[in-house]
Amino acid sequence: MLDTSPVISVKPIVLSAPQRGVDLQVRITAPFAGDQLPLVLFAHGFGKSFNDYAPLVDYWTAHGFIVVQPTFLDSRTLAIAPDDPRTPDIWRWRVDDLVRVLDNLDTIVAAVPGLAGRADPDRIVAAGHSWGATTASSLLGARVIGADGLPGEDMTDPRVRAGVLMALAGDGQQNLTPFAAEHFAFMSPEFSRMNAPALVVAGDADQSALTTRGPDWWTDGYHRSPGEKALLTLFGAEHSLGGIPGYAVTETTDEDPARVALLARVTTAFLGHVLGIEDAAWKREVAELSSAGHPKGVLVTE
């Protein structure tokens, strides 16, 4: 995945958020050159921060995308206690943080010398991994099923055109383990209104302690949502999908640089396709991965 295209990164960019209890810190990474650059709004997984997911951020920015990464309240860098009054609604604070970033994109972009005027605010996608994928999916139309069994508020944001949802939690109704049901009851997404185009990525060895189902749980976002969707299933991949949270991080149980390289390449091709930048790379990936003959994964499109 070595690429010598120069990029520039600025952190922290601090956005005032009085009701949040601590201001929102954001990182932006962008290509050194180029105009009309599309933006990826990236949501990290539980406990992570804007310092993580370098294997993807490096690849996307080297291929012409601006990546904006907020640090959510659950980040270990903030060390918020489990009994903090914000904890029960921390999933909602995450979504609010993404909206706050969208509302302040001009400020964030202006923090990078020479980037003002080079970003394309009409080409924004939301991406995320694990809990971050669930967070990003809310902007695409996914809703959380409440204690009453009914889907909650629709938080679709029309500024977001598409999504890349990696290790996206599936249907939690009757499918969560007792521990997950007690501590993460909000992990009950409903996808019937997730109309925006999205690439869902799942590992066929991702057996989670949060669900009573098998690895197929991570594919619900593809199977249960309308609109243009694609599903990339990575063979042998566990929750880190080969190591996307970072280079040689200790939590990666399935380290495979080739798998990460494939994921970076396919997601970049999908973004180019769905944003109308170019279709050739996406067509090549679909052709190469549409059969079970590929050793690393299979790609299904609607």
Side-chain angles (χ1 to χ4, degrees), residues 172-207:
Q173 296 292 290
Q174 311 301 319
N175 293 316
L176 294 180
T177 60
F179 174 83
E182 178 181 357
H183 297 282
F184 305 106
F186 58 84
M187 293 184 65
S188 295
E190 196 275 334
F191 300 112
S192 67
R193 292 189 185 177
M194 195 172 78
N195 296 300
L199 171 63
V200 176
V201 182
D204 71 357
D206 188 0
Q207 181 59 61

Side-chain angles (χ1 to χ4, degrees), residues 157-243:
D157 195 308
R159 292 172 291 187
V160 178
R161 291 180 50 175
V164 173
L165 308 174
M166 296 168 284
L168 170 68
D171 180 7
Q173 296 292 290
Q174 311 301 319
N175 293 316
L176 294 180
T177 60
F179 174 83
E182 178 181 357
H183 297 282
F184 305 106
F186 58 84
M187 293 184 65
S188 295
E190 196 275 334
F191 300 112
S192 67
R193 292 189 185 177
M194 195 172 78
N195 296 300
L199 171 63
V200 176
V201 182
D204 71 357
D206 188 0
Q207 181 59 61
S208 175
L210 299 176
T211 180
T212 57
R213 285 171 52 191
D216 67 297
W217 188 59
W218 305 102
T219 68
D220 285 354
Y222 169 77
H223 292 291
R224 303 188 182 192
S225 65
E228 180 186 354
K229 299 293 187 297
L231 173 64
L232 174 63
T233 302
L234 296 172
F235 301 149
E238 299 177 13
H239 199 60
S240 292
L241 302 176

Side-chain angles (χ1 to χ4, degrees), residues 42-298:
F42 189 85
H44 65 71
F46 178 74
K48 294 295 187 180
S49 75
F50 62 29
N51 289 315
D52 297 299
Y53 297 95
L56 292 180
V57 175
D58 290 349
Y59 193 91
W60 288 338
T61 51
H63 288 79
F65 293 86
I66 298 170
V67 181
V68 183
Q69 299 172 269
T71 290
F72 300 122
L73 288 173
D74 57 273
S75 174
R76 288 187 289 271
T77 64
L78 298 181
I80 291 177
D83 60 353
D84 186 282
R86 291 165 291 184
T87 298
D89 293 319
I90 207 162
W91 69 271
R92 180 57 192 260
W93 285 109
R94 279 173 150 258
V95 180
D96 290 345
D97 285 345
L98 292 186
V99 173
R100 184 174 287 106
V101 169
L102 291 171
D103 291 343
N104 290 275
L105 267 182
D106 287 345
T107 298
I108 296 169
V109 169
V112 179
L115 188 58
R118 295 171 50 215
D120 187 346
D122 294 324
R123 293 194 296 188
I124 300 173
V125 298
H129 172 244
S130 191
W131 194 1
T134 299
T135 305
S137 73
S138 294
L139 301 187
L140 305 179
R143 297 173 293 170
V144 174
I145 297 176
D148 57 4
L150 300 175
E153 178 185 357
D154 186 343
M155 294 176 279
T156 303
D157 195 308
R159 292 172 291 187
V160 178
R161 291 180 50 175
V164 173
L165 308 174
M166 296 168 284
L168 170 68
D171 180 7
Q173 296 292 290
Q174 311 301 319
N175 293 316
L176 294 180
T177 60
F179 174 83
E182 178 181 357
H183 297 282
F184 305 106
F186 58 84
M187 293 184 65
S188 295
E190 196 275 334
F191 300 112
S192 67
R193 292 189 185 177
M194 195 172 78
N195 296 300
L199 171 63
V200 176
V201 182
D204 71 357
D206 188 0
Q207 181 59 61
S208 175
L210 299 176
T211 180
T212 57
R213 285 171 52 191
D216 67 297
W217 188 59
W218 305 102
T219 68
D220 285 354
Y222 169 77
H223 292 291
R224 303 188 182 192
S225 65
E228 180 186 354
K229 299 293 187 297
L231 173 64
L232 174 63
T233 302
L234 296 172
F235 301 149
E238 299 177 13
H239 199 60
S240 292
L241 302 176
I244 64 171
Y247 297 109
V249 295
T250 56
E251 70 187 57
T252 299
T253 56
D254 63 335
E255 186 172 7
D256 187 339
R259 183 181 296 137
V260 175
L262 174 65
L263 173 57
R265 196 181 73 223
V266 173
T267 54
T268 302
F270 175 78
L271 293 175
H273 158 72
V274 80
L275 292 175
I277 298 171
E278 64 98 14
D279 262 338
W282 179 242
K283 289 179 179 177
R284 286 196 301 270
E285 299 298 345
V286 171
E288 180 179 347
L289 290 159
S290 60
S291 71
H294 195 283
K296 292 293 182 183
V298 62

